[in-house]
């Protein structure tokens, strides 16, 4: 079974780390990731840019674009895509296509700051 | 992260929200600050033992308010203060308060707090000092160091600022749409000022003042989280990130200024650039241009160029043109002229800045740029006069050193035909 582990933390606090503190946390995480990678068990790892860079597409008819992260709590996170796009408009186009195929709910579009594609194949 | 470091970060992060809410209760900056201070002391004692609360800001607001009210009561009735434990277990109270303080409440509390700091009655220097003290929570000593003044002088500056806003009419009711956008613009301008205080520093001061840039970015992000759909706040945040991304490349080992063209671009902070570019991308979708967005777009074109020769100067020229129309200023025209010199050559650029001479007769950069154009045209004697004037007007040793480098080059170039320089 593949498991996705979703990272939650207070952005204010993570954002107030100094560059050294941030690097120290990343170094400690890298130790854990390296071990998993050696065992061939590490899939893609992504660090996202802050929620200030987020845009949300509500899959209404027609879809509505809203600045900021997805803030409702009555829906749950069910999955995610990583797509390569030239800019936000292209990413929104992809989200609109996905939304047309599966209406209802919303997509939050967030730029990825660090991506390690990982090595799991199955 | 250790407990202490976590608590420290949580207190810093909660500060604007908590002080803003306490100010709404007490309508007095000193009481609000003291209440927050007291709540922090209790947090340092309580959190390591009971674990951190779910919502640190709500905890600090509730405890801060209780302590301040107790203080008033104690003064009135000489009643002893309740034991710490009595207020440590907030349970339901915390939850109820967290619910009541919904997003829009927080938003106006913080905006009001920021707005008080950049009250139009305060001179810019006092605005910045007050914001750094009250909103960011820097100590007077830290602020004094960043501004290269004594602690006593900074203490006095902040006290004066507080006295002035206490006497001024600060509206506490929820602002209307027009007033909110006016406040937002004033706050954005103040954040930009804080950034510039850090950004314009050079030499030894650059390291001491860099935290001002980081603090400005933190405040801009805070504002953007409160006003997610404001393209100008996206633009401001992007601008600060893109400028600060170059920090490591802006000075050489001796502390001399390194111009954009000569910077080692591998030292640029790619993460900050990515965030800045993402924010501009979001902003332009609104089709509501503004000065911060335009400046950020210019910074973005520099950030996108892998090598100096890849820079899209034509586009930069157009963006400065739009900025000139929106916010006419000789300094903007001067900056545009640099782009023009790359696109249409130094002669066109020189003609563009000549009319600015009367208004920029005391501006270091005017003479630096003018000298550079003249030098490119081979008018070395005139260039030398401009550079001499620039050195006389330099604001820092790094600026002067940079111009002296040009002068040395002119000197070397003119040596073979020696007699020329003696004419002067």
């Amino acid at each position: 079974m593949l498991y996705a582990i979703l990272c939650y933390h207070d952005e204010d606090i993570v954002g107030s780390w100094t560059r050294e503190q941030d690097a120290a946390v990343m170094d400690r995480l890298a130790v854990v990731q390296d071990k998993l990678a050696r065992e061939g068990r590490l899939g893609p790892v992504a660090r996202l840019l802050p929620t200030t860079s987020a845009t949300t597409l509500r899959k209404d008819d027609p879809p509505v674009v809203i600045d900021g992260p997805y803030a409702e709590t009555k829906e749950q996170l069910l999955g995610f895509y990583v797509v390569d796009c030239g800019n936000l408009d292209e990413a929104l186009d992809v989200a609109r296509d996905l939304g047309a195929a599966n209406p209802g709910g919303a997509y939050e579009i967030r730029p990825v700051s660090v991506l390690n594609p990982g090595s799991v194949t199955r | 992260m250790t407990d202490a470091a976590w608590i420290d970060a949580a207190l810093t992060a909660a500060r604007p929200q908590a002080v803003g809410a306490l100010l709404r209760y007490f309508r007095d900056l000193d009481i609000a600050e003291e209440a927050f201070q007291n709540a922090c002391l209790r947090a340092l004692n309580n959190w390591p033992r009971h674990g951190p609360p779910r919502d640190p800001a709500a905890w600090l607001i509730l405890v801060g308010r209780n302590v301040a009210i107790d203080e008033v009561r104690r003064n009135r009735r000489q009643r002893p203060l309740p034991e710490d434990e009595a207020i440590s277990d907030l349970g339901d109270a915390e939850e109820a308060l967290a619910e009541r303080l919904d997003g829009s409440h927080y938003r106006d509390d913080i905006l009001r707090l920021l707005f008080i700091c950049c009250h139009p009655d305060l001179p810019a220097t006092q605005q910045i000092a007050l914001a750094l003290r009250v909103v960011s929570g820097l100590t007077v000593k830290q602020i004094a160091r960043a501004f290269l003044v004594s602690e006593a002088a900074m203490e006095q500056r902040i006290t004066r600022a507080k006295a002035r806003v206490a006497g001024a009419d600060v509206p506490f009711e929820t602002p209307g749409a027009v007033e909110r956008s006016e406040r937002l613009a004033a706050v954005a301008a103040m954040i930009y000022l804080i950034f510039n205080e850090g950004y314009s520093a050079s030499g030894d001061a650059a390291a001491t003042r860099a935290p001002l840039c980081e603090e400005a970015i933190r405040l801009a992000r805070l504002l953007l989280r409160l006003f997610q759909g404001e393209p100008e706040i996206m633009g401001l945040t992007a601008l600060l990130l893109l400028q600060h991304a170059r920090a490591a490349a802006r000075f050489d080992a001796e502390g001399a200024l390194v111009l954009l063209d000569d910077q080692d671009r591998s030292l640029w902070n790619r993460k900050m650039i990515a965030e800045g570019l993402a924010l501009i991308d979001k902003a332009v979708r609104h089709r509501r241009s503004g000065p911060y967005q335009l400046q950020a777009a210019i910074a973005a074109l520099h950030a996108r160029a892998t090598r100096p020769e890849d820079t899209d100067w034509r586009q930069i020229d157009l963006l400065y043109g739009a900025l000139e129309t929106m916010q006419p200023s000789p300094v903007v025209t001067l900056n545009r002229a640099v782009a023009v010199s790359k696109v249409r050559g130094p002669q066109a650029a020189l003609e563009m800045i000549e009319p600015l001479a009367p208004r920029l007769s005391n501006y270091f950069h005017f003479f630096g740029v003018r000298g550079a154009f003249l030098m490119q045209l081979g008018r070395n004697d005139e260039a030398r006069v401009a550079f001499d004037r620039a050195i006389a007007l330099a604001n820092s040793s790094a600026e002067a050193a940079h111009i002296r480098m040009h002068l040395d080059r002119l000197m070397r170039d003119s040596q073979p035909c020696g007699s020329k320089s003696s004419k002067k």
Side-chain angles (χ1 to χ4, degrees):
Chain A
M1 192 74 185
L2 291 176
Y3 287 93
I5 297 175
L6 309 171
C7 320
Y8 288 92
H9 203 325
D10 187 334
E11 196 168 70
D12 275 338
I13 292 175
V14 174
S16 70
W17 289 348
T18 63
R19 204 198 273 229
E20 291 73 30
Q21 284 171 322
D22 195 287
V25 173
M26 287 299 127
D27 286 348
R28 286 202 303 275
L29 289 172
V31 174
V32 182
Q33 290 174 17
D34 287 349
K35 177 172 168 287
L36 291 166
R38 276 197 306 276
E39 295 163 2
R41 293 164 64 204
L42 187 72
V45 179
R47 182 169 183 185
L48 306 179
L49 284 180
T51 52
T52 42
S53 65
T55 309
T56 299
L57 182 87
R58 291 206 66 101
K59 296 194 272 173
D60 301 343
D61 187 22
V64 185
V65 177
I66 303 160
D67 286 301
Y70 186 65
E72 300 294 326
T73 47
K74 59 181 189 291
E75 281 120 341
Q76 289 74 39
L77 178 68
L78 301 185
F80 64 90
Y81 299 86
V82 176
V83 282
D84 191 3
C85 299
N87 55 40
L88 177 61
D89 277 326
E90 281 183 36
L92 281 166
D93 286 342
V94 173
R96 279 194 196 90
D97 288 346
L98 292 167
N102 180 17
Y107 292 122
E108 177 181 322
I109 295 111
R110 192 102 78 84
V112 173
S113 111
V114 183
L115 180 75
N116 171 357
S119 58
V120 165
T121 47
R122 18 165 133 175
Chain B
M1 242 208 278
T2 62
D3 257 12
W6 185 89
I7 291 174
D8 205 39
L11 294 179
T12 309
R15 183 181 175 102
Q17 204 172 315
V19 176
L22 291 166
L23 180 68
R24 175 157 45 82
Y25 293 132
F26 298 114
R27 305 201 167 197
D28 182 296
L29 209 47
D30 281 326
I31 296 179
E33 264 199 295
E34 205 189 312
F36 178 75
Q37 237 25 281
N38 282 324
C40 286
L41 289 176
R42 279 159 204 254
L44 288 173
N45 178 34
N46 184 298
W47 294 1
R49 285 188 290 134
H50 296 88
R54 246 170 314 156
D55 185 344
W59 192 98
L60 291 164
I61 294 165
L62 193 59
V63 171
R65 199 177 54 157
N66 286 352
V67 174
I69 291 172
D70 279 335
E71 202 113 316
V72 174
R73 278 200 203 123
R74 187 170 56 138
N75 290 345
R76 213 186 289 149
R77 304 186 202 159
Q78 300 294 324
R79 222 175 54 169
L81 250 182
E83 284 298 303
D84 251 15
E85 297 301 326
I87 53 152
S88 62
D89 184 24
L90 298 172
D92 293 343
E94 183 195 325
E95 206 159 349
L97 186 74
E99 255 167 73
R100 245 184 306 139
L101 289 173
D102 59 357
S104 63
H105 238 130
Y106 278 161
R107 213 166 84 143
D108 288 326
D109 281 347
I110 297 178
L111 187 58
R112 184 188 303 112
L113 185 65
L114 285 164
F115 182 68
I116 285 175
C117 296
C118 58
H119 197 280
D121 288 357
L122 298 179
T125 48
Q126 288 186 13
Q127 290 185 5
I128 298 171
L130 193 59
L132 291 172
R133 176 71 205 101
V134 174
V135 187
S136 303
L138 300 189
T139 62
V140 173
K141 190 174 173 184
Q142 284 171 315
I143 306 170
R145 205 166 147 239
F147 284 89
L148 314 171
V149 299
S150 74
E151 226 176 303
M154 186 49 74
E155 182 82 63
Q156 198 180 35
R157 191 184 293 181
I158 293 170
T159 310
R160 275 205 194 120
K162 278 184 177 169
R164 205 176 279 199
V165 288
D169 234 1
V170 177
F172 276 88
E173 62 280 8
T174 306
V178 174
E179 206 190 337
R180 185 178 280 155
S181 88
E182 277 167 9
R183 287 188 188 185
L184 202 52
V187 170
M190 186 262 294
I191 293 175
Y192 188 58
L193 275 178
I194 294 180
F195 183 84
N196 268 334
E197 285 295 330
Y199 191 74
S200 58
S202 60
D204 292 340
T208 0
R209 305 185 80 172
L212 293 177
C213 293
E214 277 145 34
E215 200 46 52
I217 290 172
R218 209 171 72 88
L219 290 172
R221 281 204 184 111
L222 171 75
L223 205 58
L224 183 54
R225 265 210 309 283
L226 299 174
F227 298 90
Q228 303 262 11
E230 286 294 333
E232 270 296 83
I233 307 301
M234 296 175 201
L236 171 70
T237 314
L239 174 62
L240 306 191
L241 285 164
L242 291 168
Q243 302 272 59
H244 195 50
R246 300 198 289 255
R250 289 180 61 226
F251 298 99
D252 66 13
E254 278 79 48
L257 207 60
V258 182
L259 286 192
L260 203 50
D261 274 6
D262 306 320
Q263 287 176 13
D264 175 357
R265 297 185 178 216
S266 69
L267 296 175
W268 290 2
N269 185 326
R270 291 289 145 195
K271 209 172 129 200
M272 280 190 202
I273 290 175
E275 193 182 339
L277 295 179
L279 287 173
I280 295 180
D281 214 10
K282 268 181 78 164
V284 294
R285 294 193 68 263
H286 286 263
R287 311 262 180 277
R288 267 198 287 145
S289 188
Y292 294 122
Q293 289 172 76
L294 286 169
Q295 292 175 77
I298 292 165
L301 287 170
H302 288 302
R304 282 205 171 99
T306 325
R307 298 168 307 166
E309 54 269 39
D310 300 330
T311 312
D312 189 348
W313 288 107
R314 206 168 296 276
Q315 191 63 32
I316 291 176
D317 177 20
L318 289 175
L319 288 167
Y320 270 124
L323 190 59
E324 246 181 337
T325 318
M326 202 175 281
Q327 223 176 35
S329 130
V331 174
V332 173
T333 309
L334 185 65
N335 282 319
R336 185 181 182 189
V338 176
V340 166
S341 78
K342 308 271 185 179
V343 181
R344 283 178 269 158
Q347 186 58 45
L350 191 64
E351 283 164 19
M352 193 170 184
I353 66 164
E354 291 300 6
L356 307 176
R359 275 177 299 166
L360 296 180
S361 60
N362 286 312
Y363 191 55
F364 162 79
H365 289 287
F366 175 74
F367 292 97
V369 167
R370 188 167 190 273
F373 292 161
L374 287 166
M375 193 165 73
Q376 285 169 44
L377 289 166
R379 290 157 66 176
N380 289 358
D381 286 343
E382 290 166 88
R384 198 170 294 120
V385 175
F387 286 142
D388 281 339
R389 180 88 183 110
I391 286 190
L393 293 168
N395 305 301
S396 66
S397 52
E399 284 181 354
H402 180 76
I403 297 294
R404 206 159 285 125
M405 202 177 69
H406 282 313
L407 278 174
D408 289 348
R409 201 156 85 204
L410 281 177
M411 213 59 142
R412 276 200 309 276
D413 291 353
S414 58
Q415 242 149 31
C417 40
S419 63
K420 243 184 172 181
S421 55
S422 60
K423 262 195 278 180
K424 211 172 109 189

